mmCIF file of all heavy atoms in Angstrom:
data_model
loop_
_atom_site.group_PDB
_atom_site.id
_atom_site.type_symbol
_atom_site.label_atom_id
_atom_site.label_comp_id
_atom_site.label_asym_id
_atom_site.label_seq_id
_atom_site.Cartn_x
_atom_site.Cartn_y
_atom_site.Cartn_z
ATOM 1 N N MET A 333 -14.370 172.512 91.416
ATOM 2 C CA MET A 333 -15.030 171.195 91.256
ATOM 3 C C MET A 333 -15.896 171.212 90.002
ATOM 4 O O MET A 333 -17.058 171.569 90.053
ATOM 5 C CB MET A 333 -15.921 170.913 92.464
ATOM 6 C CG MET A 333 -15.152 170.524 93.698
ATOM 7 S SD MET A 333 -16.233 169.833 94.970
ATOM 8 C CE MET A 333 -17.311 171.202 95.345
ATOM 9 N N PRO A 334 -15.308 170.849 88.898
ATOM 10 C CA PRO A 334 -16.086 170.928 87.655
ATOM 11 C C PRO A 334 -16.992 169.714 87.481
ATOM 12 O O PRO A 334 -16.870 168.729 88.211
ATOM 13 C CB PRO A 334 -14.999 170.930 86.590
ATOM 14 C CG PRO A 334 -13.906 170.097 87.184
ATOM 15 C CD PRO A 334 -13.972 170.306 88.682
ATOM 16 N N ALA A 335 -17.856 169.833 86.488
ATOM 17 C CA ALA A 335 -18.577 168.641 86.032
ATOM 18 C C ALA A 335 -17.565 167.720 85.365
ATOM 19 O O ALA A 335 -16.593 168.172 84.769
ATOM 20 C CB ALA A 335 -19.659 169.048 85.049
ATOM 21 N N ILE A 336 -17.799 166.431 85.488
ATOM 22 C CA ILE A 336 -16.864 165.433 84.936
ATOM 23 C C ILE A 336 -17.619 164.461 84.030
ATOM 24 O O ILE A 336 -18.696 163.973 84.398
ATOM 25 C CB ILE A 336 -16.163 164.641 86.074
ATOM 26 C CG1 ILE A 336 -15.224 165.570 86.853
ATOM 27 C CG2 ILE A 336 -15.388 163.444 85.518
ATOM 28 C CD1 ILE A 336 -14.573 164.912 88.059
ATOM 29 N N ALA A 337 -17.041 164.212 82.868
ATOM 30 C CA ALA A 337 -17.530 163.132 82.002
ATOM 31 C C ALA A 337 -16.495 162.024 82.064
ATOM 32 O O ALA A 337 -15.362 162.205 81.600
ATOM 33 C CB ALA A 337 -17.714 163.629 80.575
ATOM 34 N N ALA A 338 -16.852 160.913 82.673
ATOM 35 C CA ALA A 338 -15.919 159.793 82.830
ATOM 36 C C ALA A 338 -16.231 158.759 81.755
ATOM 37 O O ALA A 338 -17.367 158.295 81.641
ATOM 38 C CB ALA A 338 -16.063 159.187 84.223
ATOM 39 N N ILE A 339 -15.223 158.418 80.966
ATOM 40 C CA ILE A 339 -15.442 157.505 79.843
ATOM 41 C C ILE A 339 -14.928 156.114 80.226
ATOM 42 O O ILE A 339 -13.729 155.913 80.441
ATOM 43 C CB ILE A 339 -14.724 158.013 78.568
ATOM 44 C CG1 ILE A 339 -15.080 159.483 78.291
ATOM 45 C CG2 ILE A 339 -15.073 157.123 77.377
ATOM 46 C CD1 ILE A 339 -16.554 159.772 78.116
ATOM 47 N N SER A 340 -15.841 155.171 80.294
ATOM 48 C CA SER A 340 -15.523 153.822 80.763
ATOM 49 C C SER A 340 -14.972 152.964 79.627
ATOM 50 O O SER A 340 -15.665 152.665 78.654
ATOM 51 C CB SER A 340 -16.778 153.170 81.343
ATOM 52 O OG SER A 340 -16.598 151.764 81.412
ATOM 53 N N GLN A 341 -13.721 152.555 79.795
ATOM 54 C CA GLN A 341 -13.069 151.722 78.781
ATOM 55 C C GLN A 341 -13.698 150.330 78.721
ATOM 56 O O GLN A 341 -13.862 149.767 77.639
ATOM 57 C CB GLN A 341 -11.564 151.618 79.099
ATOM 58 C CG GLN A 341 -10.906 152.983 79.273
ATOM 59 C CD GLN A 341 -11.002 153.858 78.037
ATOM 60 O OE1 GLN A 341 -10.371 153.561 77.033
ATOM 61 N NE2 GLN A 341 -11.809 154.903 78.089
ATOM 62 N N SER A 342 -14.081 149.803 79.880
ATOM 63 C CA SER A 342 -14.670 148.455 79.864
ATOM 64 C C SER A 342 -16.049 148.471 79.214
ATOM 65 O O SER A 342 -16.444 147.509 78.560
ATOM 66 C CB SER A 342 -14.739 147.874 81.278
ATOM 67 O OG SER A 342 -15.447 148.755 82.124
ATOM 68 N N ALA A 343 -16.780 149.590 79.351
ATOM 69 C CA ALA A 343 -18.086 149.678 78.685
ATOM 70 C C ALA A 343 -17.900 149.687 77.167
ATOM 71 O O ALA A 343 -18.635 149.001 76.442
ATOM 72 C CB ALA A 343 -18.829 150.939 79.138
ATOM 73 N N LEU A 344 -16.916 150.439 76.682
ATOM 74 C CA LEU A 344 -16.668 150.464 75.232
ATOM 75 C C LEU A 344 -16.315 149.065 74.729
ATOM 76 O O LEU A 344 -16.841 148.606 73.711
ATOM 77 C CB LEU A 344 -15.530 151.444 74.906
ATOM 78 C CG LEU A 344 -15.805 152.923 75.189
ATOM 79 C CD1 LEU A 344 -14.517 153.743 75.067
ATOM 80 C CD2 LEU A 344 -16.881 153.477 74.256
ATOM 81 N N THR A 345 -15.447 148.386 75.465
ATOM 82 C CA THR A 345 -15.049 147.021 75.085
ATOM 83 C C THR A 345 -16.266 146.107 75.060
ATOM 84 O O THR A 345 -16.467 145.330 74.123
ATOM 85 C CB THR A 345 -14.019 146.467 76.101
ATOM 86 O OG1 THR A 345 -12.891 147.342 76.100
ATOM 87 C CG2 THR A 345 -13.584 145.063 75.738
ATOM 88 N N TYR A 346 -17.110 146.247 76.088
ATOM 89 C CA TYR A 346 -18.289 145.394 76.181
ATOM 90 C C TYR A 346 -19.264 145.655 75.021
ATOM 91 O O TYR A 346 -19.782 144.722 74.398
ATOM 92 C CB TYR A 346 -18.996 145.623 77.525
ATOM 93 C CG TYR A 346 -20.183 144.726 77.700
ATOM 94 C CD1 TYR A 346 -20.041 143.449 78.225
ATOM 95 C CD2 TYR A 346 -21.460 145.147 77.300
ATOM 96 C CE1 TYR A 346 -21.127 142.609 78.356
ATOM 97 C CE2 TYR A 346 -22.552 144.313 77.420
ATOM 98 C CZ TYR A 346 -22.375 143.048 77.953
ATOM 99 O OH TYR A 346 -23.451 142.225 78.068
ATOM 100 N N ASN A 347 -19.494 146.912 74.726
ATOM 101 C CA ASN A 347 -20.459 147.249 73.671
ATOM 102 C C ASN A 347 -19.988 146.760 72.296
ATOM 103 O O ASN A 347 -20.797 146.344 71.462
ATOM 104 C CB ASN A 347 -20.720 148.752 73.657
ATOM 105 C CG ASN A 347 -21.368 149.213 74.949
ATOM 106 O OD1 ASN A 347 -22.065 148.440 75.619
ATOM 107 N ND2 ASN A 347 -21.138 150.463 75.323
ATOM 108 N N LEU A 348 -18.678 146.806 72.093
ATOM 109 C CA LEU A 348 -18.123 146.263 70.855
ATOM 110 C C LEU A 348 -18.402 144.753 70.784
ATOM 111 O O LEU A 348 -18.714 144.224 69.717
ATOM 112 C CB LEU A 348 -16.616 146.547 70.826
ATOM 113 C CG LEU A 348 -15.874 146.438 69.498
ATOM 114 C CD1 LEU A 348 -16.486 147.324 68.424
ATOM 115 C CD2 LEU A 348 -14.404 146.798 69.695
ATOM 116 N N LYS A 349 -18.327 144.092 71.927
ATOM 117 C CA LYS A 349 -18.637 142.652 71.977
ATOM 118 C C LYS A 349 -20.104 142.399 71.631
ATOM 119 O O LYS A 349 -20.430 141.400 71.003
ATOM 120 C CB LYS A 349 -18.346 142.090 73.369
ATOM 121 C CG LYS A 349 -16.936 141.594 73.509
ATOM 122 C CD LYS A 349 -16.807 140.642 74.701
ATOM 123 C CE LYS A 349 -15.363 140.646 75.181
ATOM 124 N NZ LYS A 349 -15.203 141.051 76.574
ATOM 125 N N VAL A 350 -20.986 143.313 72.069
ATOM 126 C CA VAL A 350 -22.414 143.152 71.735
ATOM 127 C C VAL A 350 -22.588 143.190 70.216
ATOM 128 O O VAL A 350 -23.340 142.394 69.644
ATOM 129 C CB VAL A 350 -23.282 144.236 72.419
ATOM 130 C CG1 VAL A 350 -24.739 144.129 71.968
ATOM 131 C CG2 VAL A 350 -23.186 144.119 73.942
ATOM 132 N N VAL A 351 -21.877 144.088 69.554
ATOM 133 C CA VAL A 351 -21.955 144.145 68.084
ATOM 134 C C VAL A 351 -21.491 142.816 67.504
ATOM 135 O O VAL A 351 -22.148 142.241 66.630
ATOM 136 C CB VAL A 351 -21.082 145.290 67.512
ATOM 137 C CG1 VAL A 351 -21.150 145.298 65.984
ATOM 138 C CG2 VAL A 351 -21.518 146.643 68.069
ATOM 139 N N LYS A 352 -20.372 142.300 68.018
ATOM 140 C CA LYS A 352 -19.811 141.054 67.473
ATOM 141 C C LYS A 352 -20.722 139.858 67.732
ATOM 142 O O LYS A 352 -20.746 138.904 66.960
ATOM 143 C CB LYS A 352 -18.424 140.794 68.068
ATOM 144 C CG LYS A 352 -17.396 141.788 67.528
ATOM 145 C CD LYS A 352 -16.002 141.563 68.089
ATOM 146 C CE LYS A 352 -15.048 142.604 67.503
ATOM 147 N NZ LYS A 352 -13.757 142.659 68.173
ATOM 148 N N ARG A 353 -21.480 139.926 68.835
ATOM 149 C CA ARG A 353 -22.419 138.862 69.135
ATOM 150 C C ARG A 353 -23.593 138.905 68.159
ATOM 151 O O ARG A 353 -24.157 137.895 67.777
ATOM 152 C CB ARG A 353 -22.924 139.022 70.568
ATOM 153 C CG ARG A 353 -23.144 137.715 71.289
ATOM 154 C CD ARG A 353 -23.727 137.932 72.682
ATOM 155 N NE ARG A 353 -22.827 138.598 73.593
ATOM 156 C CZ ARG A 353 -23.211 139.504 74.500
ATOM 157 N NH1 ARG A 353 -24.482 139.868 74.599
ATOM 158 N NH2 ARG A 353 -22.337 140.055 75.299
ATOM 159 N N LYS A 354 -23.947 140.110 67.734
ATOM 160 C CA LYS A 354 -25.098 140.275 66.836
ATOM 161 C C LYS A 354 -24.745 139.977 65.388
ATOM 162 O O LYS A 354 -25.623 139.663 64.585
ATOM 163 C CB LYS A 354 -25.612 141.721 66.924
ATOM 164 C CG LYS A 354 -26.421 142.019 68.166
ATOM 165 C CD LYS A 354 -27.854 141.554 67.971
ATOM 166 C CE LYS A 354 -28.618 141.645 69.279
ATOM 167 N NZ LYS A 354 -29.905 140.938 69.179
ATOM 168 N N SER A 355 -23.475 140.163 65.019
ATOM 169 C CA SER A 355 -23.144 140.106 63.601
ATOM 170 C C SER A 355 -21.721 139.608 63.389
ATOM 171 O O SER A 355 -20.814 139.937 64.158
ATOM 172 C CB SER A 355 -23.292 141.505 62.994
ATOM 173 O OG SER A 355 -22.816 141.506 61.676
ATOM 174 N N ASN A 356 -21.542 138.829 62.322
ATOM 175 C CA ASN A 356 -20.187 138.379 61.970
ATOM 176 C C ASN A 356 -19.502 139.323 61.006
ATOM 177 O O ASN A 356 -18.373 139.099 60.598
ATOM 178 C CB ASN A 356 -20.255 136.992 61.332
ATOM 179 C CG ASN A 356 -20.685 135.946 62.336
ATOM 180 O OD1 ASN A 356 -20.247 135.985 63.488
ATOM 181 N ND2 ASN A 356 -21.554 135.049 61.919
ATOM 182 N N ALA A 357 -20.202 140.373 60.601
ATOM 183 C CA ALA A 357 -19.627 141.294 59.619
ATOM 184 C C ALA A 357 -18.452 142.051 60.227
ATOM 185 O O ALA A 357 -18.286 142.122 61.445
ATOM 186 C CB ALA A 357 -20.698 142.287 59.162
ATOM 187 N N LYS A 358 -17.623 142.611 59.351
ATOM 188 C CA LYS A 358 -16.561 143.506 59.830
ATOM 189 C C LYS A 358 -17.204 144.769 60.392
ATOM 190 O O LYS A 358 -18.306 145.148 59.991
ATOM 191 C CB LYS A 358 -15.615 143.853 58.691
ATOM 192 C CG LYS A 358 -14.755 142.680 58.298
ATOM 193 C CD LYS A 358 -13.634 143.134 57.383
ATOM 194 C CE LYS A 358 -12.694 141.969 57.124
ATOM 195 N NZ LYS A 358 -11.762 142.281 56.055
ATOM 196 N N ILE A 359 -16.466 145.412 61.294
ATOM 197 C CA ILE A 359 -17.050 146.543 62.025
ATOM 198 C C ILE A 359 -16.407 147.865 61.638
ATOM 199 O O ILE A 359 -15.188 148.034 61.741
ATOM 200 C CB ILE A 359 -16.916 146.321 63.544
ATOM 201 C CG1 ILE A 359 -17.716 145.076 63.954
ATOM 202 C CG2 ILE A 359 -17.394 147.557 64.315
ATOM 203 C CD1 ILE A 359 -17.595 144.717 65.409
ATOM 204 N N VAL A 360 -17.242 148.775 61.160
ATOM 205 C CA VAL A 360 -16.817 150.167 60.959
ATOM 206 C C VAL A 360 -17.309 150.931 62.192
ATOM 207 O O VAL A 360 -18.504 151.186 62.331
ATOM 208 C CB VAL A 360 -17.465 150.790 59.704
ATOM 209 C CG1 VAL A 360 -16.907 152.194 59.464
ATOM 210 C CG2 VAL A 360 -17.254 149.907 58.486
ATOM 211 N N ALA A 361 -16.404 151.264 63.107
ATOM 212 C CA ALA A 361 -16.832 152.014 64.299
ATOM 213 C C ALA A 361 -17.020 153.476 63.905
ATOM 214 O O ALA A 361 -16.108 154.106 63.382
ATOM 215 C CB ALA A 361 -15.777 151.888 65.398
#
Side-chain angles (χ1 to χ4, degrees):
M333 285 193 297
I336 292 175
I339 309 302
S340 162
Q341 307 300 291
S342 56
L344 295 170
T345 301
Y346 183 87
N347 296 333
L348 197 56
K349 270 199 204 121
V350 175
V351 178
K352 289 180 180 168
R353 216 183 293 142
K354 283 278 171 192
S355 172
N356 292 320
K358 288 192 174 169
I359 297 177
V360 185

